Amino acid sequence: MSVFVFPGQGSQFKGMGHDLYQSNEEVKKLFEEADDLLKFSLSKIMFEGDEEALKQTKVTQPAIFLHSIAELMVYESKNNKPLAVAGHSLGEFSSLVANKTISFKDGLILVSLRAKAMQKACDNSSGTMAAILGLEDKLVRETCQEFDGNVIAANFNCPGQVVISGEINAVKNICEVFNSLGARRSIILPVGGAFHSSLMNDAKSELKEAIDSTNFSEPSCPIYQNFNANKTVVISKIKNNLINQLTNPVLWTQTVNNMINDGINDFIEVGPGKVLQGLIRKINRDCITKSALV
């Protein structure tokens, strides 16, 4: 058995999910259910929308979630079950559907609410993110902590790739510091706000209220979560970690290393793209990775 891993924002592409929709009647019903729940045609934007339409947070997050669950449905129909699950940021919600903690319907509602709340927080603050390449994680984290400005190390994606998040000027200024410290590149990312930082605090309160009122069931297998990189099957911990993830770093490198330390080296990426497979191989080249649907 393998760990099922689910991608986050940034994995979207024009035409995503269309082949699955056309070839599988159950997937078609899933897409139609999503359109009804969201009260707009998410499927049409996924199939026909341009890159700009797909980049809108309120579209991107539900689209990636829907695509991931469609792939999961097809993959599980072939008697494939996860040993454990994990997701990168948004991907945690897909993970929780995969291990039966939340339903598809509740997951989609939470993802949509999360996306809208994050968009609102972005509109109310002046934030951005940047990828810092070629420096040690510790150096990036400590430099952010010592810097005079609102900026944190927000995504530990793999060794030598850390994404920072914070107020626009602070991010721009600290990128110059990282360049002077020997960073291979410091790249301002085309995102609408400072995800996984304190600038998402307004969205956090909305998400907490929604999660607290959502039914969570006993997980069928453990989930390794971004907030602390640890595995759990305890519902109260899952909820708290999911809420805290919004304003705290995504510990993806640490999560994968914890899974490896637990004897796991076989990973199946379920969802659009192959981003997580690339990150996992950079964390440990001995890991076996593949897509759920080839």
PDB file of all heavy atoms in Angstrom, residues 6-44:
ATOM      1  N   PHE A   6      -1.872  14.749  -2.158  1.00  0.00           N
ATOM      2  CA  PHE A   6      -2.777  15.592  -2.939  1.00  0.00           C
ATOM      3  C   PHE A   6      -2.193  16.999  -3.092  1.00  0.00           C
ATOM      4  O   PHE A   6      -1.806  17.624  -2.097  1.00  0.00           O
ATOM      5  CB  PHE A   6      -4.140  15.662  -2.253  1.00  0.00           C
ATOM      6  CG  PHE A   6      -4.848  14.336  -2.190  1.00  0.00           C
ATOM      7  CD1 PHE A   6      -4.567  13.427  -1.176  1.00  0.00           C
ATOM      8  CD2 PHE A   6      -5.776  13.993  -3.159  1.00  0.00           C
ATOM      9  CE1 PHE A   6      -5.199  12.189  -1.123  1.00  0.00           C
ATOM     10  CE2 PHE A   6      -6.425  12.761  -3.106  1.00  0.00           C
ATOM     11  CZ  PHE A   6      -6.135  11.863  -2.095  1.00  0.00           C
ATOM     12  N   PRO A   7      -2.163  17.520  -4.332  1.00  0.00           N
ATOM     13  CA  PRO A   7      -1.535  18.817  -4.593  1.00  0.00           C
ATOM     14  C   PRO A   7      -2.387  19.995  -4.140  1.00  0.00           C
ATOM     15  O   PRO A   7      -3.584  19.872  -3.898  1.00  0.00           O
ATOM     16  CB  PRO A   7      -1.380  18.823  -6.113  1.00  0.00           C
ATOM     17  CG  PRO A   7      -2.520  17.972  -6.600  1.00  0.00           C
ATOM     18  CD  PRO A   7      -2.686  16.898  -5.558  1.00  0.00           C
ATOM     19  N   GLY A   8      -1.734  21.147  -4.068  1.00  0.00           N
ATOM     20  CA  GLY A   8      -2.408  22.378  -3.684  1.00  0.00           C
ATOM     21  C   GLY A   8      -2.461  23.380  -4.816  1.00  0.00           C
ATOM     22  O   GLY A   8      -2.261  23.047  -5.994  1.00  0.00           O
ATOM     23  N   GLN A   9      -2.699  24.620  -4.463  1.00  0.00           N
ATOM     24  CA  GLN A   9      -2.874  25.698  -5.435  1.00  0.00           C
ATOM     25  C   GLN A   9      -1.633  25.830  -6.314  1.00  0.00           C
ATOM     26  O   GLN A   9      -0.510  25.755  -5.829  1.00  0.00           O
ATOM     27  CB  GLN A   9      -3.141  27.018  -4.697  1.00  0.00           C
ATOM     28  CG  GLN A   9      -3.834  28.064  -5.537  1.00  0.00           C
ATOM     29  CD  GLN A   9      -4.534  29.112  -4.684  1.00  0.00           C
ATOM     30  OE1 GLN A   9      -4.902  28.853  -3.545  1.00  0.00           O
ATOM     31  NE2 GLN A   9      -4.737  30.300  -5.225  1.00  0.00           N
ATOM     32  N   GLY A  10      -1.849  26.027  -7.616  1.00  0.00           N
ATOM     33  CA  GLY A  10      -0.753  26.127  -8.562  1.00  0.00           C
ATOM     34  C   GLY A  10      -0.711  24.967  -9.532  1.00  0.00           C
ATOM     35  O   GLY A  10       0.004  25.004 -10.534  1.00  0.00           O
ATOM     36  N   SER A  11      -1.499  23.915  -9.253  1.00  0.00           N
ATOM     37  CA  SER A  11      -1.507  22.729 -10.118  1.00  0.00           C
ATOM     38  C   SER A  11      -2.586  22.785 -11.195  1.00  0.00           C
ATOM     39  O   SER A  11      -2.733  21.847 -11.972  1.00  0.00           O
ATOM     40  CB  SER A  11      -1.715  21.472  -9.258  1.00  0.00           C
ATOM     41  OG  SER A  11      -0.671  21.321  -8.337  1.00  0.00           O
ATOM     42  N   GLN A  12      -3.339  23.865 -11.241  1.00  0.00           N
ATOM     43  CA  GLN A  12      -4.444  23.967 -12.189  1.00  0.00           C
ATOM     44  C   GLN A  12      -3.936  24.167 -13.618  1.00  0.00           C
ATOM     45  O   GLN A  12      -2.831  24.654 -13.828  1.00  0.00           O
ATOM     46  CB  GLN A  12      -5.362  25.125 -11.804  1.00  0.00           C
ATOM     47  CG  GLN A  12      -4.770  26.511 -11.987  1.00  0.00           C
ATOM     48  CD  GLN A  12      -3.930  26.982 -10.819  1.00  0.00           C
ATOM     49  OE1 GLN A  12      -3.672  26.270  -9.867  1.00  0.00           O
ATOM     50  NE2 GLN A  12      -3.491  28.233 -10.897  1.00  0.00           N
ATOM     51  N   PHE A  13      -4.743  23.756 -14.597  1.00  0.00           N
ATOM     52  CA  PHE A  13      -4.418  23.987 -16.004  1.00  0.00           C
ATOM     53  C   PHE A  13      -5.711  23.980 -16.818  1.00  0.00           C
ATOM     54  O   PHE A  13      -6.709  23.369 -16.423  1.00  0.00           O
ATOM     55  CB  PHE A  13      -3.453  22.920 -16.539  1.00  0.00           C
ATOM     56  CG  PHE A  13      -3.987  21.509 -16.478  1.00  0.00           C
ATOM     57  CD1 PHE A  13      -4.678  20.955 -17.551  1.00  0.00           C
ATOM     58  CD2 PHE A  13      -3.797  20.726 -15.343  1.00  0.00           C
ATOM     59  CE1 PHE A  13      -5.166  19.658 -17.504  1.00  0.00           C
ATOM     60  CE2 PHE A  13      -4.288  19.425 -15.273  1.00  0.00           C
ATOM     61  CZ  PHE A  13      -4.975  18.895 -16.359  1.00  0.00           C
ATOM     62  N   LYS A  14      -5.693  24.654 -17.946  1.00  0.00           N
ATOM     63  CA  LYS A  14      -6.865  24.724 -18.808  1.00  0.00           C
ATOM     64  C   LYS A  14      -7.240  23.330 -19.308  1.00  0.00           C
ATOM     65  O   LYS A  14      -6.391  22.576 -19.760  1.00  0.00           O
ATOM     66  CB  LYS A  14      -6.596  25.646 -20.002  1.00  0.00           C
ATOM     67  CG  LYS A  14      -7.807  25.846 -20.903  1.00  0.00           C
ATOM     68  CD  LYS A  14      -7.498  26.785 -22.058  1.00  0.00           C
ATOM     69  CE  LYS A  14      -8.719  26.946 -22.966  1.00  0.00           C
ATOM     70  NZ  LYS A  14      -8.463  27.865 -24.101  1.00  0.00           N
ATOM     71  N   GLY A  15      -8.521  23.015 -19.208  1.00  0.00           N
ATOM     72  CA  GLY A  15      -8.992  21.702 -19.646  1.00  0.00           C
ATOM     73  C   GLY A  15      -8.925  20.639 -18.571  1.00  0.00           C
ATOM     74  O   GLY A  15      -9.248  19.475 -18.828  1.00  0.00           O
ATOM     75  N   MET A  16      -8.548  21.026 -17.353  1.00  0.00           N
ATOM     76  CA  MET A  16      -8.372  20.050 -16.273  1.00  0.00           C
ATOM     77  C   MET A  16      -9.669  19.280 -15.987  1.00  0.00           C
ATOM     78  O   MET A  16     -10.740  19.862 -15.897  1.00  0.00           O
ATOM     79  CB  MET A  16      -7.872  20.738 -15.000  1.00  0.00           C
ATOM     80  CG  MET A  16      -8.777  21.813 -14.433  1.00  0.00           C
ATOM     81  SD  MET A  16      -8.019  22.766 -13.077  1.00  0.00           S
ATOM     82  CE  MET A  16      -7.811  21.508 -11.826  1.00  0.00           C
ATOM     83  N   GLY A  17      -9.535  17.967 -15.924  1.00  0.00           N
ATOM     84  CA  GLY A  17     -10.661  17.114 -15.585  1.00  0.00           C
ATOM     85  C   GLY A  17     -11.569  16.746 -16.743  1.00  0.00           C
ATOM     86  O   GLY A  17     -12.464  15.912 -16.580  1.00  0.00           O
ATOM     87  N   HIS A  18     -11.349  17.327 -17.919  1.00  0.00           N
ATOM     88  CA  HIS A  18     -12.278  17.110 -19.035  1.00  0.00           C
ATOM     89  C   HIS A  18     -12.283  15.663 -19.506  1.00  0.00           C
ATOM     90  O   HIS A  18     -13.354  15.088 -19.767  1.00  0.00           O
ATOM     91  CB  HIS A  18     -11.936  18.044 -20.197  1.00  0.00           C
ATOM     92  CG  HIS A  18     -12.992  18.089 -21.247  1.00  0.00           C
ATOM     93  ND1 HIS A  18     -12.777  17.705 -22.549  1.00  0.00           N
ATOM     94  CD2 HIS A  18     -14.314  18.444 -21.173  1.00  0.00           C
ATOM     95  CE1 HIS A  18     -13.895  17.827 -23.246  1.00  0.00           C
ATOM     96  NE2 HIS A  18     -14.838  18.282 -22.443  1.00  0.00           N
ATOM     97  N   ASP A  19     -11.095  15.049 -19.602  1.00  0.00           N
ATOM     98  CA  ASP A  19     -11.013  13.644 -20.040  1.00  0.00           C
ATOM     99  C   ASP A  19     -11.746  12.724 -19.065  1.00  0.00           C
ATOM    100  O   ASP A  19     -12.464  11.803 -19.482  1.00  0.00           O
ATOM    101  CB  ASP A  19      -9.552  13.204 -20.165  1.00  0.00           C
ATOM    102  CG  ASP A  19      -8.849  13.866 -21.346  1.00  0.00           C
ATOM    103  OD1 ASP A  19      -9.557  14.438 -22.196  1.00  0.00           O
ATOM    104  OD2 ASP A  19      -7.609  13.815 -21.397  1.00  0.00           O
ATOM    105  N   LEU A  20     -11.565  12.976 -17.770  1.00  0.00           N
ATOM    106  CA  LEU A  20     -12.248  12.172 -16.758  1.00  0.00           C
ATOM    107  C   LEU A  20     -13.760  12.344 -16.877  1.00  0.00           C
ATOM    108  O   LEU A  20     -14.518  11.379 -16.766  1.00  0.00           O
ATOM    109  CB  LEU A  20     -11.790  12.591 -15.359  1.00  0.00           C
ATOM    110  CG  LEU A  20     -10.389  12.158 -14.919  1.00  0.00           C
ATOM    111  CD1 LEU A  20     -10.002  12.890 -13.641  1.00  0.00           C
ATOM    112  CD2 LEU A  20     -10.344  10.655 -14.699  1.00  0.00           C
ATOM    113  N   TYR A  21     -14.182  13.569 -17.080  1.00  0.00           N
ATOM    114  CA  TYR A  21     -15.609  13.884 -17.198  1.00  0.00           C
ATOM    115  C   TYR A  21     -16.238  13.135 -18.372  1.00  0.00           C
ATOM    116  O   TYR A  21     -17.346  12.599 -18.270  1.00  0.00           O
ATOM    117  CB  TYR A  21     -15.757  15.400 -17.383  1.00  0.00           C
ATOM    118  CG  TYR A  21     -17.174  15.899 -17.557  1.00  0.00           C
ATOM    119  CD1 TYR A  21     -17.939  16.261 -16.447  1.00  0.00           C
ATOM    120  CD2 TYR A  21     -17.733  16.046 -18.821  1.00  0.00           C
ATOM    121  CE1 TYR A  21     -19.235  16.750 -16.604  1.00  0.00           C
ATOM    122  CE2 TYR A  21     -19.015  16.529 -18.988  1.00  0.00           C
ATOM    123  CZ  TYR A  21     -19.769  16.876 -17.871  1.00  0.00           C
ATOM    124  OH  TYR A  21     -21.039  17.355 -18.036  1.00  0.00           O
ATOM    125  N   GLN A  22     -15.536  13.100 -19.480  1.00  0.00           N
ATOM    126  CA  GLN A  22     -16.072  12.476 -20.688  1.00  0.00           C
ATOM    127  C   GLN A  22     -16.063  10.947 -20.625  1.00  0.00           C
ATOM    128  O   GLN A  22     -16.909  10.288 -21.237  1.00  0.00           O
ATOM    129  CB  GLN A  22     -15.272  12.931 -21.913  1.00  0.00           C
ATOM    130  CG  GLN A  22     -15.550  14.370 -22.327  1.00  0.00           C
ATOM    131  CD  GLN A  22     -14.929  14.708 -23.659  1.00  0.00           C
ATOM    132  OE1 GLN A  22     -13.764  14.409 -23.912  1.00  0.00           O
ATOM    133  NE2 GLN A  22     -15.704  15.336 -24.532  1.00  0.00           N
ATOM    134  N   SER A  23     -15.118  10.387 -19.875  1.00  0.00           N
ATOM    135  CA  SER A  23     -14.919   8.938 -19.930  1.00  0.00           C
ATOM    136  C   SER A  23     -15.552   8.173 -18.769  1.00  0.00           C
ATOM    137  O   SER A  23     -15.601   6.944 -18.798  1.00  0.00           O
ATOM    138  CB  SER A  23     -13.413   8.620 -19.955  1.00  0.00           C
ATOM    139  OG  SER A  23     -12.782   9.091 -18.775  1.00  0.00           O
ATOM    140  N   ASN A  24     -16.057   8.882 -17.739  1.00  0.00           N
ATOM    141  CA  ASN A  24     -16.547   8.185 -16.557  1.00  0.00           C
ATOM    142  C   ASN A  24     -17.867   8.809 -16.096  1.00  0.00           C
ATOM    143  O   ASN A  24     -17.924   9.999 -15.748  1.00  0.00           O
ATOM    144  CB  ASN A  24     -15.497   8.253 -15.436  1.00  0.00           C
ATOM    145  CG  ASN A  24     -15.829   7.384 -14.248  1.00  0.00           C
ATOM    146  OD1 ASN A  24     -16.790   7.640 -13.523  1.00  0.00           O
ATOM    147  ND2 ASN A  24     -15.018   6.349 -14.019  1.00  0.00           N
ATOM    148  N   GLU A  25     -18.909   8.009 -16.077  1.00  0.00           N
ATOM    149  CA  GLU A  25     -20.243   8.514 -15.728  1.00  0.00           C
ATOM    150  C   GLU A  25     -20.319   8.986 -14.281  1.00  0.00           C
ATOM    151  O   GLU A  25     -20.982   9.987 -13.976  1.00  0.00           O
ATOM    152  CB  GLU A  25     -21.285   7.427 -15.980  1.00  0.00           C
ATOM    153  CG  GLU A  25     -22.711   7.943 -16.018  1.00  0.00           C
ATOM    154  CD  GLU A  25     -22.966   8.962 -17.125  1.00  0.00           C
ATOM    155  OE1 GLU A  25     -22.354   8.851 -18.206  1.00  0.00           O
ATOM    156  OE2 GLU A  25     -23.787   9.878 -16.889  1.00  0.00           O
ATOM    157  N   GLU A  26     -19.626   8.298 -13.370  1.00  0.00           N
ATOM    158  CA  GLU A  26     -19.638   8.702 -11.951  1.00  0.00           C
ATOM    159  C   GLU A  26     -18.922  10.041 -11.762  1.00  0.00           C
ATOM    160  O   GLU A  26     -19.340  10.870 -10.951  1.00  0.00           O
ATOM    161  CB  GLU A  26     -18.996   7.610 -11.088  1.00  0.00           C
ATOM    162  CG  GLU A  26     -19.790   6.320 -11.007  1.00  0.00           C
ATOM    163  CD  GLU A  26     -21.218   6.548 -10.518  1.00  0.00           C
ATOM    164  OE1 GLU A  26     -21.385   7.208  -9.476  1.00  0.00           O
ATOM    165  OE2 GLU A  26     -22.165   6.087 -11.192  1.00  0.00           O
ATOM    166  N   VAL A  27     -17.848  10.233 -12.492  1.00  0.00           N
ATOM    167  CA  VAL A  27     -17.126  11.510 -12.432  1.00  0.00           C
ATOM    168  C   VAL A  27     -18.010  12.636 -12.969  1.00  0.00           C
ATOM    169  O   VAL A  27     -18.053  13.732 -12.411  1.00  0.00           O
ATOM    170  CB  VAL A  27     -15.801  11.433 -13.222  1.00  0.00           C
ATOM    171  CG1 VAL A  27     -15.203  12.828 -13.410  1.00  0.00           C
ATOM    172  CG2 VAL A  27     -14.807  10.533 -12.503  1.00  0.00           C
ATOM    173  N   LYS A  28     -18.727  12.355 -14.046  1.00  0.00           N
ATOM    174  CA  LYS A  28     -19.637  13.356 -14.616  1.00  0.00           C
ATOM    175  C   LYS A  28     -20.665  13.799 -13.578  1.00  0.00           C
ATOM    176  O   LYS A  28     -20.939  14.993 -13.426  1.00  0.00           O
ATOM    177  CB  LYS A  28     -20.343  12.783 -15.844  1.00  0.00           C
ATOM    178  CG  LYS A  28     -21.191  13.795 -16.592  1.00  0.00           C
ATOM    179  CD  LYS A  28     -21.778  13.197 -17.867  1.00  0.00           C
ATOM    180  CE  LYS A  28     -22.579  14.224 -18.642  1.00  0.00           C
ATOM    181  NZ  LYS A  28     -23.156  13.662 -19.886  1.00  0.00           N
ATOM    182  N   LYS A  29     -21.215  12.822 -12.836  1.00  0.00           N
ATOM    183  CA  LYS A  29     -22.180  13.144 -11.774  1.00  0.00           C
ATOM    184  C   LYS A  29     -21.531  13.984 -10.676  1.00  0.00           C
ATOM    185  O   LYS A  29     -22.148  14.887 -10.111  1.00  0.00           O
ATOM    186  CB  LYS A  29     -22.752  11.855 -11.186  1.00  0.00           C
ATOM    187  CG  LYS A  29     -23.669  11.090 -12.126  1.00  0.00           C
ATOM    188  CD  LYS A  29     -24.131   9.787 -11.481  1.00  0.00           C
ATOM    189  CE  LYS A  29     -25.007   8.979 -12.434  1.00  0.00           C
ATOM    190  NZ  LYS A  29     -25.375   7.667 -11.843  1.00  0.00           N
ATOM    191  N   LEU A  30     -20.259  13.676 -10.364  1.00  0.00           N
ATOM    192  CA  LEU A  30     -19.522  14.419  -9.337  1.00  0.00           C
ATOM    193  C   LEU A  30     -19.365  15.881  -9.751  1.00  0.00           C
ATOM    194  O   LEU A  30     -19.577  16.795  -8.941  1.00  0.00           O
ATOM    195  CB  LEU A  30     -18.149  13.776  -9.119  1.00  0.00           C
ATOM    196  CG  LEU A  30     -17.357  14.235  -7.892  1.00  0.00           C
ATOM    197  CD1 LEU A  30     -17.936  13.617  -6.620  1.00  0.00           C
ATOM    198  CD2 LEU A  30     -15.887  13.844  -8.026  1.00  0.00           C
ATOM    199  N   PHE A  31     -19.003  16.104 -11.011  1.00  0.00           N
ATOM    200  CA  PHE A  31     -18.847  17.476 -11.510  1.00  0.00           C
ATOM    201  C   PHE A  31     -20.183  18.222 -11.492  1.00  0.00           C
ATOM    202  O   PHE A  31     -20.235  19.404 -11.136  1.00  0.00           O
ATOM    203  CB  PHE A  31     -18.269  17.458 -12.932  1.00  0.00           C
ATOM    204  CG  PHE A  31     -16.770  17.391 -12.979  1.00  0.00           C
ATOM    205  CD1 PHE A  31     -16.102  16.207 -12.701  1.00  0.00           C
ATOM    206  CD2 PHE A  31     -16.027  18.508 -13.304  1.00  0.00           C
ATOM    207  CE1 PHE A  31     -14.717  16.141 -12.752  1.00  0.00           C
ATOM    208  CE2 PHE A  31     -14.642  18.464 -13.357  1.00  0.00           C
ATOM    209  CZ  PHE A  31     -13.980  17.273 -13.077  1.00  0.00           C
ATOM    210  N   GLU A  32     -21.244  17.540 -11.872  1.00  0.00           N
ATOM    211  CA  GLU A  32     -22.567  18.172 -11.872  1.00  0.00           C
ATOM    212  C   GLU A  32     -23.003  18.519 -10.451  1.00  0.00           C
ATOM    213  O   GLU A  32     -23.605  19.577 -10.209  1.00  0.00           O
ATOM    214  CB  GLU A  32     -23.576  17.246 -12.545  1.00  0.00           C
ATOM    215  CG  GLU A  32     -23.361  17.128 -14.056  1.00  0.00           C
ATOM    216  CD  GLU A  32     -24.195  16.025 -14.700  1.00  0.00           C
ATOM    217  OE1 GLU A  32     -24.824  15.236 -13.950  1.00  0.00           O
ATOM    218  OE2 GLU A  32     -24.216  15.957 -15.950  1.00  0.00           O
ATOM    219  N   GLU A  33     -22.692  17.630  -9.494  1.00  0.00           N
ATOM    220  CA  GLU A  33     -22.998  17.905  -8.088  1.00  0.00           C
ATOM    221  C   GLU A  33     -22.232  19.131  -7.601  1.00  0.00           C
ATOM    222  O   GLU A  33     -22.774  19.982  -6.875  1.00  0.00           O
ATOM    223  CB  GLU A  33     -22.644  16.687  -7.219  1.00  0.00           C
ATOM    224  CG  GLU A  33     -22.970  16.889  -5.751  1.00  0.00           C
ATOM    225  CD  GLU A  33     -22.555  15.702  -4.886  1.00  0.00           C
ATOM    226  OE1 GLU A  33     -22.106  14.670  -5.426  1.00  0.00           O
ATOM    227  OE2 GLU A  33     -22.666  15.821  -3.639  1.00  0.00           O
ATOM    228  N   ALA A  34     -20.960  19.239  -7.999  1.00  0.00           N
ATOM    229  CA  ALA A  34     -20.141  20.387  -7.600  1.00  0.00           C
ATOM    230  C   ALA A  34     -20.719  21.688  -8.146  1.00  0.00           C
ATOM    231  O   ALA A  34     -20.817  22.692  -7.423  1.00  0.00           O
ATOM    232  CB  ALA A  34     -18.704  20.197  -8.091  1.00  0.00           C
ATOM    233  N   ASP A  35     -21.127  21.689  -9.420  1.00  0.00           N
ATOM    234  CA  ASP A  35     -21.724  22.891 -10.016  1.00  0.00           C
ATOM    235  C   ASP A  35     -22.988  23.303  -9.263  1.00  0.00           C
ATOM    236  O   ASP A  35     -23.226  24.496  -9.024  1.00  0.00           O
ATOM    237  CB  ASP A  35     -22.055  22.644 -11.490  1.00  0.00           C
ATOM    238  CG  ASP A  35     -20.812  22.573 -12.378  1.00  0.00           C
ATOM    239  OD1 ASP A  35     -19.722  22.916 -11.894  1.00  0.00           O
ATOM    240  OD2 ASP A  35     -20.951  22.170 -13.550  1.00  0.00           O
ATOM    241  N   ASP A  36     -23.794  22.322  -8.870  1.00  0.00           N
ATOM    242  CA  ASP A  36     -25.030  22.609  -8.128  1.00  0.00           C
ATOM    243  C   ASP A  36     -24.718  23.186  -6.749  1.00  0.00           C
ATOM    244  O   ASP A  36     -25.358  24.156  -6.310  1.00  0.00           O
ATOM    245  CB  ASP A  36     -25.865  21.335  -7.983  1.00  0.00           C
ATOM    246  CG  ASP A  36     -26.517  20.908  -9.295  1.00  0.00           C
ATOM    247  OD1 ASP A  36     -26.603  21.746 -10.211  1.00  0.00           O
ATOM    248  OD2 ASP A  36     -26.922  19.733  -9.403  1.00  0.00           O
ATOM    249  N   LEU A  37     -23.753  22.589  -6.060  1.00  0.00           N
ATOM    250  CA  LEU A  37     -23.407  23.044  -4.710  1.00  0.00           C
ATOM    251  C   LEU A  37     -22.833  24.462  -4.722  1.00  0.00           C
ATOM    252  O   LEU A  37     -23.134  25.277  -3.843  1.00  0.00           O
ATOM    253  CB  LEU A  37     -22.391  22.085  -4.076  1.00  0.00           C
ATOM    254  CG  LEU A  37     -22.927  20.748  -3.562  1.00  0.00           C
ATOM    255  CD1 LEU A  37     -21.786  19.802  -3.235  1.00  0.00           C
ATOM    256  CD2 LEU A  37     -23.796  20.964  -2.321  1.00  0.00           C
ATOM    257  N   LEU A  38     -21.991  24.753  -5.716  1.00  0.00           N
ATOM    258  CA  LEU A  38     -21.309  26.050  -5.770  1.00  0.00           C
ATOM    259  C   LEU A  38     -22.167  27.141  -6.397  1.00  0.00           C
ATOM    260  O   LEU A  38     -21.862  28.323  -6.278  1.00  0.00           O
ATOM    261  CB  LEU A  38     -20.006  25.913  -6.561  1.00  0.00           C
ATOM    262  CG  LEU A  38     -18.940  25.007  -5.940  1.00  0.00           C
ATOM    263  CD1 LEU A  38     -17.773  24.832  -6.901  1.00  0.00           C
ATOM    264  CD2 LEU A  38     -18.453  25.561  -4.610  1.00  0.00           C
ATOM    265  N   LYS A  39     -23.226  26.702  -7.095  1.00  0.00           N
ATOM    266  CA  LYS A  39     -24.143  27.637  -7.768  1.00  0.00           C
ATOM    267  C   LYS A  39     -23.459  28.456  -8.868  1.00  0.00           C
ATOM    268  O   LYS A  39     -23.831  29.603  -9.150  1.00  0.00           O
ATOM    269  CB  LYS A  39     -24.822  28.556  -6.745  1.00  0.00           C
ATOM    270  CG  LYS A  39     -25.735  27.798  -5.788  1.00  0.00           C
ATOM    271  CD  LYS A  39     -26.413  28.732  -4.811  1.00  0.00           C
ATOM    272  CE  LYS A  39     -27.457  28.007  -3.975  1.00  0.00           C
ATOM    273  NZ  LYS A  39     -26.935  26.828  -3.253  1.00  0.00           N
ATOM    274  N   PHE A  40     -22.434  27.871  -9.462  1.00  0.00           N
ATOM    275  CA  PHE A  40     -21.865  28.386 -10.709  1.00  0.00           C
ATOM    276  C   PHE A  40     -21.186  27.217 -11.418  1.00  0.00           C
ATOM    277  O   PHE A  40     -20.916  26.180 -10.800  1.00  0.00           O
ATOM    278  CB  PHE A  40     -20.897  29.554 -10.472  1.00  0.00           C
ATOM    279  CG  PHE A  40     -19.578  29.170  -9.853  1.00  0.00           C
ATOM    280  CD1 PHE A  40     -18.470  28.840 -10.639  1.00  0.00           C
ATOM    281  CD2 PHE A  40     -19.417  29.168  -8.460  1.00  0.00           C
ATOM    282  CE1 PHE A  40     -17.255  28.517 -10.065  1.00  0.00           C
ATOM    283  CE2 PHE A  40     -18.205  28.839  -7.878  1.00  0.00           C
ATOM    284  CZ  PHE A  40     -17.118  28.513  -8.683  1.00  0.00           C
ATOM    285  N   SER A  41     -20.932  27.364 -12.707  1.00  0.00           N
ATOM    286  CA  SER A  41     -20.397  26.251 -13.490  1.00  0.00           C
ATOM    287  C   SER A  41     -18.880  26.176 -13.365  1.00  0.00           C
ATOM    288  O   SER A  41     -18.136  26.653 -14.234  1.00  0.00           O
ATOM    289  CB  SER A  41     -20.807  26.367 -14.958  1.00  0.00           C
ATOM    290  OG  SER A  41     -20.371  25.225 -15.661  1.00  0.00           O
ATOM    291  N   LEU A  42     -18.434  25.565 -12.279  1.00  0.00           N
ATOM    292  CA  LEU A  42     -17.002  25.350 -12.089  1.00  0.00           C
ATOM    293  C   LEU A  42     -16.440  24.492 -13.227  1.00  0.00           C
ATOM    294  O   LEU A  42     -15.350  24.751 -13.735  1.00  0.00           O
ATOM    295  CB  LEU A  42     -16.750  24.658 -10.746  1.00  0.00           C
ATOM    296  CG  LEU A  42     -15.305  24.282 -10.438  1.00  0.00           C
ATOM    297  CD1 LEU A  42     -14.424  25.521 -10.354  1.00  0.00           C
ATOM    298  CD2 LEU A  42     -15.222  23.488  -9.127  1.00  0.00           C
ATOM    299  N   SER A  43     -17.213  23.469 -13.626  1.00  0.00           N
ATOM    300  CA  SER A  43     -16.737  22.569 -14.681  1.00  0.00           C
ATOM    301  C   SER A  43     -16.467  23.324 -15.979  1.00  0.00           C
ATOM    302  O   SER A  43     -15.469  23.058 -16.670  1.00  0.00           O
ATOM    303  CB  SER A  43     -17.741  21.441 -14.915  1.00  0.00           C
ATOM    304  OG  SER A  43     -19.014  21.954 -15.249  1.00  0.00           O
ATOM    305  N   LYS A  44     -17.325  24.275 -16.334  1.00  0.00           N
ATOM    306  CA  LYS A  44     -17.129  25.030 -17.574  1.00  0.00           C
ATOM    307  C   LYS A  44     -15.845  25.850 -17.519  1.00  0.00           C
ATOM    308  O   LYS A  44     -15.101  25.922 -18.516  1.00  0.00           O
ATOM    309  CB  LYS A  44     -18.327  25.946 -17.832  1.00  0.00           C
ATOM    310  CG  LYS A  44     -18.243  26.673 -19.164  1.00  0.00           C
ATOM    311  CD  LYS A  44     -19.515  27.446 -19.475  1.00  0.00           C
ATOM    312  CE  LYS A  44     -19.412  28.111 -20.847  1.00  0.00           C
ATOM    313  NZ  LYS A  44     -20.640  28.860 -21.207  1.00  0.00           N
TER     314      LYS A  44
END
